[in-house]
Amino acid sequence: MNLFYNPQGVGDVAFLQIEPVEGNLEYQQHGDVISITKDGRIVGFNFFNVNDIDFNGNGHIKLNESIIKGLQQKIDDAQINYKLDTDLSPSFVVGYVIEKEKHPNADKLSIVKVDVGDDTLQIVCGAPNIDKAQKVVVAKVGAVMPSGMVIKNAELRGVASSGMICSMKELNLPDAPQEKGIMVLSNDYEIGAPFFKE
């Protein structure tokens, strides 16, 4: 779930993306709230007149309980039957590669199982330096990369992938090497901990 708010560029309008989708969307206005649906399911909302909610920022807004509560109140006031269910855990976490195997349909891809603390994710990775027993930075599904790309559940050459193992360049870190390869962390990083500190 991603929230965008740019009062200088767009005005007092917030866009809440619940599910990244493409194709034809349907819009229905309920007062100050527009529900956005795809194939009958709600995938997002536009909220007007939201300056009573403290977004504490501009652009891509980090969700917190107060913001979710404020947006839910506007959904309820618009008499839309929808409950916001959001994961407020960090999007970029320290993972540990438990196992690595060759992708059956692609020479340059690996299938890895990564422990991210509260879950084990299967991720298809194309980095040449990925290996078992590494600590790495994992962008979980729903994470917004510095480039603006949203991480989604995907299928790469017939194999499911949930998340992305990141390079320094993809994370827009200073002095990132230009050659391809994921960022390998030292052992003092804690599995499941947020990679970016508040």
Side-chain angles (χ1 to χ4, degrees):
M1 194 177 296
N2 294 292
L3 180 65
F4 303 91
Y5 182 62
N6 180 359
Q8 286 77 34
V10 182
D12 190 20
V13 182
F15 169 58
L16 182 68
Q17 179 190 57
I18 294 167
E19 183 184 330
V21 292
E22 295 171 359
N24 294 331
L25 301 173
E26 294 175 5
Y27 302 86
Q28 186 172 0
Q29 186 151 4
H30 317 257
D32 279 347
V33 181
I34 292 178
S35 60
I36 306 167
T37 58
K38 166 89 173 168
D39 301 329
R41 70 183 188 280
I42 291 180
V43 295
F45 291 100
N46 281 331
F47 297 91
F48 296 91
N49 302 315
V50 285
N51 57 10
D52 56 331
I53 298 175
D54 183 10
F55 290 122
N56 194 21
N58 191 339
H60 183 246
I61 303 294
K62 183 172 173 51
L63 289 168
N64 59 39
E65 284 185 28
S66 171
I67 291 171
I68 292 293
K69 188 176 177 185
L71 295 176
Q72 183 65 61
Q73 186 62 56
K74 290 191 179 294
I75 290 169
D76 294 345
D77 290 348
Q79 299 185 329
I80 302 169
N81 184 19
Y82 190 87
K83 290 284 175 247
L84 293 173
D85 178 21
T86 187
D87 178 5
L88 295 176
S89 65
S91 300
F92 296 90
V93 297
V94 176
Y96 179 77
V97 182
I98 302 166
E99 60 183 67
K100 170 194 166 186
E101 63 182 74
K102 192 176 171 311
H103 193 298
N105 305 318
D107 290 342
K108 294 186 177 178
L109 296 179
S110 301
I111 304 166
V112 293
K113 296 271 195 307
V114 187
D115 177 2
V116 291
D118 57 352
D119 201 0
T120 299
L121 304 176
Q122 175 174 287
I123 299 175
V124 176
C125 180
N129 64 329
I130 185 77
D131 213 346
K132 187 176 172 183
Q134 288 174 333
K135 285 188 177 175
V136 295
V137 182
V138 177
K140 298 188 335 192
V141 170
V144 179
M145 301 300 292
S147 67
M149 179 178 77
V150 179
I151 302 301
K152 308 176 188 178
N153 281 312
E155 198 171 282
L156 299 170
R157 295 281 186 97
V159 175
S161 182
S162 296
M164 184 170 99
I165 299 173
C166 302
S167 69
M168 288 180 70
K169 190 175 177 185
E170 288 162 335
L171 294 170
N172 202 24
L173 297 177
D175 304 319
Q178 293 306 303
E179 62 268 17
K180 286 189 173 180
I182 49 109
M183 182 181 184
V184 180
L185 303 173
S186 61
N187 270 334
D188 49 347
Y189 280 85
E190 182 186 341
I191 296 168
F195 177 68
F196 293 110
K197 305 299 180 209
E198 288 301 311

